[in-house]
């Protein structure tokens, strides 16, 4: 049977092109790993670092005598928002490239905290107040520092720690409104239609929205400890997750944040009197996976995940999925 020469050449060209695409994807995956940004005092001063999702290859991004903390990735992974008191001692919101260069100040307030980059990349939410911690309100600003707006300006309340829904349409936050709290609320991105989600006598703080929008993780006080909990996005089905107990020592588990595929929660664990804070992992169902990295004087905290979109896309169509990466390193941490 004779084969047409043009057909053979065409098949060969297609094969070469497909091989090139496969190699390109392998290079992309190897050069753009899932990473966690975090703050640490390991070098004697609070700075921003990034590390691979298995806790290795930690790289220091900021090098400033002031304190830098609370990193938040942009959705494309090219920039990181953070807080710093490098301007006269007041904490304000800054943005830098993801390699640590080109830091730029966005806000001018006397106390700006907890930046949260919206999933659509258009807005950074943060808490801002006067000279006192307990005068905070949720604000939003564009990544270039324009369009600064205070949400719910006429509502008497103390509002803190914003986090975005995956569709960028809603913001969950902590509030002491009405003399109660702290409790977790949700409102539209414009500050309207607020709704209270938690109704407990315990302190509820640090909300973090799951990538598929179905759940919110947060931390809550329990006796002398604080623990990580999850609930449905409407406040139903509250569940307390893993809580490490040390006899005679209080354990504060705070700052939960979801992995981009929603399977893992990273959080800060601080055993009072034994360490200064470590980043740990647990499954979304509460199975403890272990500590990331080694113990460091000065403590690690405020983790935030990033995974390149090129690795995969979840069923929701908007969040990256980690192609089995998290399955593997969970076992290695045990």
């Amino acid at each position: 049977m004779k084969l047409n020469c043009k057909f053979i050449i065409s098949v060969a060209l297609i094969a070469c092109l497909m091989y090139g695409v496969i190699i390109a994807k392998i290079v992309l995956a190897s050069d753009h790993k899932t990473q966690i940004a975090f703050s640490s005092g390991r070098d004697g001063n609070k700075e921003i670092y990034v590390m691979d999702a298995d806790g290795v290859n930690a790289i220091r991004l900021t090098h400033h005598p002031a304190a830098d903390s609370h990193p938040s990735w942009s959705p494309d992974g090219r920039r990181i928002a953070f807080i710093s008191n490098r301007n006269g001692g007041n904490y304000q919101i800054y943005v830098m490239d993801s390699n640590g260069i080109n830091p730029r100040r966005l806000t001018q307030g006397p106390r700006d905290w907890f930046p949260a980059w919206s999933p659509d990349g258009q807005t950074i939410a943060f808490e801002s107040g006067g000279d006192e911690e307990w005068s905070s309100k949720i604000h939003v600003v564009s990544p270039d520092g324009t369009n600064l707006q205070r949400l719910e300006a006429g509502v008497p309340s103390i509002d803190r720690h914003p986090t975005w829904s995956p569709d960028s349409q809603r913001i969950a936050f902590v509030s002491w409104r009405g003399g109660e709290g702290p409790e977790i609320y949700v409102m539209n991105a414009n500050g309207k239609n607020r709704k209270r989600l938690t109704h407990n006598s315990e302190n509820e703080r640090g909300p973090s929205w799951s990538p598929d929008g179905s759940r919110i993780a947060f931390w809550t006080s329990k006796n002398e400890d604080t623990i990580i909990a999850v609930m449905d996005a409407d406040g139903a089905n509250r569940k307390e997750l893993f809580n490490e107990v040390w006899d005679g020592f209080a354990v504060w588990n705070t700052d939960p944040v979801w992995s981009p595929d929603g399977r893992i929660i990273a959080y800060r664990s601080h055993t009072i009197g034994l360490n200064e804070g470590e980043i740990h992992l647990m499954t979304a169902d509460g199975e403890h996976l272990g500590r990331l990295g080694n113990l460091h004087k000065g403590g690690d905290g405020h983790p935030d995940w990033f995974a390149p979109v090129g690795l995969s896309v979840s069923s929701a169509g908007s969040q990256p999925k980690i192609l089995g990466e998290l399955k593997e390193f969970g076992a290695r941490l045990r």
Side-chain angles (χ1 to χ4, degrees), residues 86-112:
R86 60 183 64 188
N87 184 57
N90 294 324
Y91 279 102
Q92 291 156 343
I93 309 299
Y94 288 73
V95 168
M96 63 181 172
D97 296 347
S98 59
N99 59 4
I101 66 173
N102 297 324
R104 305 171 296 283
R105 186 174 63 165
L106 297 189
T107 65
Q108 312 289 328
R111 184 186 177 278
D112 300 330

Side-chain angles (χ1 to χ4, degrees), residues 248-260:
F249 297 92
V251 179
W252 291 356
N253 293 333
T254 61
D255 305 337
V257 61
W258 299 80
S259 65

